[in-house]
Amino acid sequence: MKINLFIILFAILLLPFFLLISPLIIPIVLVFLVLFLKINYATIKGAAGERHVNRILNQLNSNYKVYHDLYVPNKRGGTTQIDHVVTSPFGVFVIETKNYDGWIFGDENQKYWTQVIFKRKEKLFNPIWQNYGHMKALKHYIGEDFEFIHSIVAFSPRATFKFKGGFKSARVIQYPQLVKVIMEWNIYKIGHAELQQINRALDRLILTDKKEKRELKRQHVQAIKIDRQMMAKKEIENIEQNVCPKCGGALSLRKGKYGAFYGCSNYPKCRYTKRVS
């Protein structure tokens, strides 16, 4: 992220120099900057959101310890990247940040939520499910029996929620609410010795060597790509055998408003669907 910003700033600083040498170079540099920003926009925007949340969480008092951008070992032998973890005597908070604009639609049981900006619609993986995976990895790391762990999904204040109901397994809020929501848990649940043990375990995940962290991030991204390929392959195999890849129930071919699709026989408990291509 810092390297990307350095490239942009360096290119901007060189613009006057290019103008003196040859005015024709300016359009080329500008095209390069536009393409670079377009390719890296999601990464830059996500990192900006995480930095903003860092500043907000640092307002918490001395009862709380804040961790950012942790790569937590998971059961599969890889790592799970968690945006923010806050530890305290009142519980451990796992926070997933979403620096999104526009209207946000979704519910707890939907695999994908929808972001609407004017007439453009984009899918995003259910962040409650995403953060549940983060919590499972964290519990695997600090202790499977640990129960005082809470899920928070924090959106940018530029997002407008269009949810029809509430959520049971997570708090879905906006950045400015973070400190207030975390402090709603105010009953002591974790003893001093246990809290110190958790903090020491998380301290071991902090990487100060930038080169080492870049390599870990590269391995993490590569593992995600492989996992997605394997999941897609397994999903196809299950559909071919009429087995729901989500719950193991039977799939049946149905017809809907937008064409034929596979639906799970365990509906409404399982809402898995797959369009017929």
Side-chain angles (χ1 to χ4, degrees), residues 22-271:
S22 174
L24 295 175
I25 296 178
I26 297 297
I28 298 172
V29 173
L30 289 174
V31 169
F32 166 78
L33 285 173
V34 169
L35 290 173
F36 183 85
L37 287 170
K38 189 174 181 180
I39 293 169
N40 294 278
Y41 178 72
T43 302
I44 294 169
K45 187 177 180 181
E50 289 178 22
R51 283 202 307 276
H52 184 52
V53 171
N54 290 352
R55 291 193 294 270
I56 292 172
L57 293 176
N58 287 333
Q59 297 171 19
L60 289 163
N61 63 40
S62 58
N63 280 324
Y64 302 87
K65 187 166 183 179
V66 182
Y67 296 88
H68 308 294
D69 195 22
L70 294 180
Y71 289 85
V72 181
N74 57 37
K75 287 183 178 180
R76 301 188 304 275
T79 56
T80 296
Q81 190 270 338
I82 303 178
D83 292 341
H84 314 276
V85 176
V86 177
T87 64
S88 76
F90 317 109
V92 173
F93 304 89
V94 181
I95 302 165
E96 171 65 21
T97 59
K98 294 295 178 188
N99 197 18
Y100 282 54
D101 307 337
W103 291 357
I104 306 296
F105 295 85
D107 66 48
E108 201 147 359
N109 297 314
Q110 280 182 309
K111 184 175 182 179
Y112 293 100
W113 289 11
T114 305
Q115 176 196 31
V116 179
I117 301 177
F118 298 106
K119 294 184 179 181
R120 182 169 59 88
K121 293 184 179 182
E122 299 287 346
K123 277 186 176 182
L124 63 145
F125 185 72
N126 185 331
I128 295 176
W129 292 14
Q130 183 181 6
N131 214 32
Y132 175 72
H134 298 166
M135 291 170 66
K136 283 180 66 178
L138 190 61
K139 287 182 72 172
H140 171 68
Y141 181 66
I142 63 176
E144 294 287 359
D145 297 329
F146 185 75
E147 57 181 316
F148 306 114
I149 186 166
H150 310 288
S151 175
I152 298 176
V153 177
F155 278 84
S156 160
R158 298 186 307 277
T160 302
F161 295 151
K162 295 292 182 178
F163 306 131
K164 292 182 178 178
F167 303 99
K168 294 180 180 179
S169 61
R171 294 292 299 272
V172 181
I173 61 174
Q174 294 178 315
Y175 298 165
Q177 299 171 277
L178 268 167
V179 171
K180 179 178 177 293
V181 167
I182 289 172
M183 295 186 76
E184 286 177 6
W185 282 272
N186 54 16
I187 298 173
Y188 284 84
K189 296 290 187 180
I190 307 172
H192 178 75
E194 185 180 10
L195 184 58
Q196 290 294 97
Q197 185 179 351
I198 291 169
N199 287 340
R200 283 195 296 270
L202 295 180
D203 287 341
R204 290 194 290 270
L205 299 178
I206 298 173
L207 296 177
T208 54
D209 187 294
K210 293 180 181 179
K211 186 176 180 182
E212 185 181 357
K213 190 162 188 175
R214 280 198 301 270
E215 176 58 22
L216 183 60
K217 184 177 181 179
R218 187 195 66 78
Q219 293 175 5
H220 174 74
V221 171
Q222 184 63 27
I224 289 175
K225 289 179 181 177
I226 294 171
D227 279 351
R228 285 177 178 171
Q229 290 170 357
M230 291 177 66
M231 286 173 65
K233 184 179 178 182
K234 186 178 180 181
E235 184 176 14
I236 292 169
E237 290 174 352
N238 284 334
I239 291 172
E240 289 174 348
Q241 297 170 13
N242 291 325
V243 175
C244 174
K246 185 177 176 182
C247 73
L251 289 179
S252 57
L253 188 62
R254 302 175 185 178
K255 288 186 178 180
K257 183 179 178 181
Y258 300 103
F261 67 96
Y262 290 100
C264 182
S265 60
N266 289 330
Y267 178 87
K269 288 185 177 180
C270 178
R271 296 175 179 267

